[in-house]
Amino acid sequence: MNYVKVSDEVQVALNEGKPVVALESTIISHGFPYPQNVELAFKVEEVIREQGAVPATIAILDGKICVGLSEDEINLLGKSPEAYKASIHDIPMILSNKGIGATTVAATIYGAHLAGIRFFATGGLGGVHYGVTESNDISADLPTLAKYKICVVSAGVKSILDIPKTVEYLETLGVPCYGYETDKYPSFYTRDAGIPVEKINKESLVKLLKTQDQMDLNYGVSVVVPIPEEDELDSEMINNTIEEALQEANEKNITGKKVTPFLLAKIKEKTKGVSVNANFALMINNAKTAAIIAKEYCEK
Ligand code: PSU
Ligand code: MN
């Protein structure tokens, strides 16, 4: 396709059947403040390489969906205020405008699909927002995850979202969800959201994915990994903070694609950056886990 540009490093790895892990770029442009955002983007790539896999950060630049970015391109995304938070429905607009598109989980899934990448690591999935019966706010990440065959490793969905409703909705969409070495669904900043999840280990996950490959079941698989114990936040503190941020978003009438970045920025401000450190740590952990799984998958 004319609209995809895969970097040489990523293309060679794919041709040789080597493990490749896709990465999103909204987390760079809207998820973290500069300069921690670029620091994280480089660190995540490094961690994936250390495991013997190849990172493929995805963004829309110069009228192409770019799979595998240069250092300059990552810096550009980290510093450009005009980078657009690009979900799946925004892709043709940004391509035709030749704008800078920082891809969400949904848009990154599509880019990975076009390039033929089987694994994707992110921080937290978008999902069903609180007050959904009023707002109808459900991230396009969920239906997109149901549409493409990709294994997405995350720390679950953030507690800014209605986690039980998100998990239910994934089930409705037919997206399987597995806890990586845990039977507790994680809640991003903390390790336990209070709901169960089917537990899986590396070997059985890879077997399951290989089985899926032999069928025409082309949906995504969500693998959730709890934040490392030493980085976990106090659940009462973070839940109160989230509560306050949600209230503020409500009072200020924040809607649509602004909701998630607004809440993340508020939580950062209220926790004096502690939330950002936790987010950093879990993202690194997810990238490492995805690379380990991808490697096992390619070797089997
Ligand atoms: N979760 C995070 N940080 C983020 C996001 C989610 O911890 O930056 C981003 C992801 O790119 C996700 C998007 O795909 O927010 C979801 O946005 P929305 O709810 O508007 O679909
Ligand atoms: Mn939304």
Side-chain angles (χ1 to χ4, degrees):
M1 194 203 284
N2 217 353
Y3 291 105
V4 196
K5 188 180 126 198
V6 181
S7 75
D8 291 344
E9 187 195 14
V10 171
Q11 194 58 61
V12 167
L14 289 169
N15 293 347
E16 293 178 350
K18 299 236 168 81
V20 176
V21 177
L23 297 160
E24 60 155 308
S25 46
T26 292
I27 195 168
I28 307 176
S29 65
H30 292 73
F32 279 81
Y34 181 82
Q36 271 155 312
N37 55 0
V38 287
E39 194 191 309
L40 176 66
F42 293 132
K43 182 74 190 163
V44 160
E45 292 205 342
E46 188 188 316
V47 164
I48 290 172
R49 287 205 173 88
E50 276 167 12
Q51 296 303 322
V54 172
T57 305
I58 298 181
I60 305 172
L61 299 165
D62 303 320
K64 304 262 183 205
I65 301 174
C66 298
V67 181
L69 302 184
S70 69
E71 250 183 76
D72 285 350
E73 288 168 333
I74 287 179
N75 274 310
L76 176 77
L77 283 158
K79 288 183 196 173
S80 296
E82 70 269 31
Y84 193 89
K85 178 180 159 190
S87 189
I88 184 119
H89 42 277
D90 304 309
I91 292 175
M93 178 192 72
I94 297 161
L95 285 174
S96 54
N97 285 345
K98 300 218 160 54
I100 302 175
T103 52
T104 63
V105 168
T108 306
I109 288 173
Y110 184 63
H113 159 77
L114 293 178
I117 300 175
R118 189 75 175 85
F119 296 90
F120 171 20
T122 186
L125 299 173
V128 179
H129 284 259
Y130 285 112
V132 62
T133 47
E134 277 298 308
S135 67
N136 256 330
D137 191 353
I138 300 176
S139 174
D141 290 356
L142 302 188
T144 306
L145 193 50
K147 235 159 117 181
Y148 298 102
K149 195 174 81 175
I150 188 152
C151 174
V152 183
V153 177
S154 72
V157 288
K158 226 187 268 79
S159 28
I160 58 171
L161 299 169
D162 191 323
I163 299 179
K165 282 201 174 74
T166 303
V167 171
E168 279 297 340
Y169 195 56
L170 281 171
E171 187 177 292
T172 302
L173 291 169
V175 174
C177 184
Y178 302 103
Y180 193 72
E181 288 161 5
T182 182
D183 58 3
K184 297 181 175 75
Y185 195 91
S187 80
F188 202 81
Y189 298 119
T190 60
R191 292 171 63 84
D192 185 2
I195 47 176
V197 64
E198 181 91 23
K199 186 174 174 176
I200 209 163
N201 63 20
K202 181 176 72 175
E203 288 72 26
S204 40
L205 173 61
V206 166
K207 252 199 250 169
L208 171 163
L209 294 173
K210 295 270 179 185
T211 305
Q212 186 193 11
D213 286 345
Q214 294 176 38
M215 308 179 150
D216 60 351
L217 295 172
N218 293 320
Y219 45 65
V221 169
S222 168
V223 174
V224 289
V225 187
I227 182 171
E229 246 173 278
E230 62 272 24
D231 301 303
E232 186 179 24
L233 298 185
D234 177 73
S235 69
E236 201 182 312
M237 179 282 286
I238 192 68
N239 288 336
N240 289 341
T241 306
I242 290 169
E243 185 83 16
E244 285 169 28
L246 285 167
Q247 226 163 357
E248 251 185 86
N250 214 350
E251 280 160 20
K252 294 200 163 121
N253 248 318
I254 308 287
T255 56
K257 60 167 70 237
K258 296 209 171 88
V259 174
T260 301
F262 176 87
L263 292 173
L264 291 179
K266 273 288 153 212
I267 293 166
K268 178 202 159 213
E269 189 186 304
K270 286 176 189 293
T271 62
K272 302 192 172 63
V274 168
S275 64
V276 177
N277 298 342
N279 201 344
F280 200 104
L282 68 85
M283 182 60 225
I284 304 259
N285 188 50
N286 294 346
K288 183 175 172 190
T289 307
I292 291 171
I293 298 167
K295 196 156 173 247
E296 173 84 6
Y297 174 90
C298 290
E299 282 167 0
K300 279 281 139 64

